[in-house]
């Protein structure tokens, strides 16, 4: 997931509403990474992502058909290619990195750099120029990610190519987001587009799961808990809070809440899975957040 710019309507009047919604967003956003790490103990990422996307799409399908504009074939097909990039490549890429035991917090950190990548790609592809301050902030943020990455290389056992998969999936999603802008055929209500995206992902993840041995789910309590976690919290609750905040709050505040996800993910992973933490990882994280703030402020 990433931040898509929507017009904010108004800042919430209640002083408690924004902090509560921000906390819910951080928890639900980070739960996507932690949920995959948890469910991966029971099944391969292709199998667990097949069931996550299939269940999400089936639940959304009756609402997509009953509410909103009629889903015409041309509009659906226009959404399919973005579903390939946003769900299969992006979601599958960072899930594969987690399966290879890259620290879950680092995966969250790299995945949440999509807005910065979009800003950088918008200049050569769309002619939207960045200011010197934004380029400086982007460079600082990338430096922070490299600090965390190099430290995790010394602490973890993940193969080097898995780090490239994480970065590549993030860049692929950013490229798809840039190319998506301005295409009227892609303007569809959220529940309808998310339905198409998840069902597209289900088809592709299903093919991968079949190639690895089948799509039958493990009949264990842990897998069921992981699926409930990923579908109800990391998908439906997360998207609901996310889009509600975008309608009520300035986009910069929503972005700030999302960038708190990586440290929360690191702490969750340390508590639940005993993944390593180090001072250097938190220093690199702080550098990254500073660069993000410099790029996005104002």
């Amino acid at each position: 997931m990433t931040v898509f710019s929507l017009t904010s309507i108004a800042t919430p009047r209640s002083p408690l509403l924004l902090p509560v919604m921000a906390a819910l967003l951080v928890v639900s956003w980070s739960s996507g990474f932690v949920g995959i790490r948890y469910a991966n103990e029971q099944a391969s990422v292709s199998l667990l992502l097949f069931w996550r996307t299939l269940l999400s799409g089936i639940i959304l399908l009756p609402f997509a058909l009953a509410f909103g504009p009629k889903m015409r074939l041309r509009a659906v097909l226009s959404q399919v290619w973005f579903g390939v990039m946003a769900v299969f490549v992006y979601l599958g890429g960072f899930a594969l990195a987690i399966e290879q035991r890259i620290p879950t917090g680092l995966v969250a950190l790299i995945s949440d750099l999509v807005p910065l990548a979009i800003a950088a790609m918008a200049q050569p592809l769309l002619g939207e120029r960045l200011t010197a301050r934004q380029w400086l902030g982007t460079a600082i943020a990338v430096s922070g990610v490299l600090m965390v990455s190099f430290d995790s290389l010394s602490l973890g056992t993940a193969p080097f190519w898995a780090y490239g998969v994480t970065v590549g999936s993030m860049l692929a999603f950013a490229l798809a987001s840039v190319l998506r802008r301005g295409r009227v055929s892609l303007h569809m209500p959220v529940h309808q587009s998310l339905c198409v995206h998840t069902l597209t992902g289900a088809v592709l993840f299903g093919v991968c799961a079949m190639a690895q041995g089948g799509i039958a789910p493990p009949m264990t309590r842990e897998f069921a808990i992981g699926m409930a976690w990923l579908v109800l919290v990391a998908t439906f609750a997360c998207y609901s809070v996310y889009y509600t905040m975008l309608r009520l709050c300035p986009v910069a505040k929503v972005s700030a809440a999302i960038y708190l996800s990586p440290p929360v993910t690191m702490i969750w992973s340390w508590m639940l899975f005993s993944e390593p933490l180090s001072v250097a990882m938190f220093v690199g994280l702080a550098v990254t957040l500073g660069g993000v703030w410099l790029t996005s402020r104002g």
Side-chain angles (χ1 to χ4, degrees):
M1 295 177 62
T2 187
V3 175
F4 293 104
S5 178
L6 298 179
T7 302
S8 302
I9 296 177
T11 301
R13 294 181 180 180
S14 172
L16 294 177
L17 183 57
L18 177 57
V20 169
M21 294 187 69
L24 290 174
L25 182 61
V26 171
V27 171
S28 60
W29 195 286
S30 60
S31 71
F33 302 97
V34 179
I36 288 176
R37 176 68 174 83
Y38 178 83
N40 185 222
E41 299 288 344
Q42 303 295 315
S44 67
V45 293
S46 59
L47 183 60
L48 69 89
L49 290 177
F50 165 71
W51 283 104
R52 174 187 176 175
T53 52
L54 180 65
L55 292 173
S56 300
I58 289 175
I59 293 172
L60 284 170
L61 185 58
F63 298 96
L65 295 176
F67 302 100
K70 185 177 179 180
M71 298 181 65
R72 301 186 181 279
L73 180 60
R74 181 180 179 183
V76 171
L77 292 178
S78 296
Q79 290 286 345
V80 165
W81 76 268
F82 189 74
V84 173
M85 303 298 287
V87 177
F88 182 68
V89 176
Y90 177 62
L91 185 61
F94 78 68
L96 180 60
I98 292 174
E99 184 177 54
Q100 295 298 317
R101 294 300 179 258
I102 290 181
T104 311
L106 173 59
V107 176
L109 179 60
I110 295 175
S111 299
D112 287 346
L113 290 181
V114 168
L116 292 185
I118 290 175
M121 291 181 182
Q123 177 167 344
L125 296 178
L126 301 178
E128 299 179 4
R129 301 187 62 182
L130 297 183
T131 64
R133 173 178 55 79
Q134 289 175 313
W135 278 118
L136 176 61
T138 301
I140 292 174
V142 172
S143 300
V145 172
L146 292 177
M147 291 174 63
V148 180
S149 301
F150 285 133
D151 194 62
S152 67
L153 278 172
S154 63
L155 294 174
T157 58
F160 185 76
W161 61 263
Y163 292 83
V165 168
T166 312
V167 175
S169 62
M170 181 271 292
L171 293 176
F173 188 23
L175 177 62
S177 300
V178 171
L179 297 178
R180 181 180 191 269
R181 291 167 63 172
R183 293 188 58 178
V184 178
S185 60
L186 285 172
H187 293 174
M188 183 181 286
V190 174
H191 66 288
Q192 292 182 330
S193 61
L194 185 58
C195 178
V196 176
H197 297 166
T198 52
L199 291 178
T200 300
V203 172
L204 296 175
F205 287 127
V207 171
C208 294
M210 288 293 293
Q212 293 179 344
I215 58 175
M219 304 305 291
T220 63
R221 182 184 66 175
E222 290 77 10
F223 186 78
I225 292 174
M227 280 300 102
W229 186 340
L230 289 170
V231 172
L232 299 179
V233 179
T235 301
F236 294 143
C238 185
Y239 271 95
S240 298
V241 175
Y242 169 58
Y243 283 108
T244 301
M245 283 193 70
L246 281 177
R247 294 183 180 278
L248 295 176
C249 311
V251 173
K253 291 186 177 181
V254 183
S255 301
I258 289 174
Y259 288 126
L260 293 176
S261 169
V264 172
T265 304
M266 286 182 181
I267 294 172
W268 276 40
S269 302
W270 171 69
M271 294 175 61
L272 295 175
F273 315 116
S274 299
E275 290 192 0
L277 288 177
S278 69
V279 174
M281 293 176 73
F282 280 100
V283 171
L285 178 64
V287 171
T288 300
L289 295 179
V292 168
W293 173 82
L294 189 64
T295 302
S296 60
R297 70 183 177 89

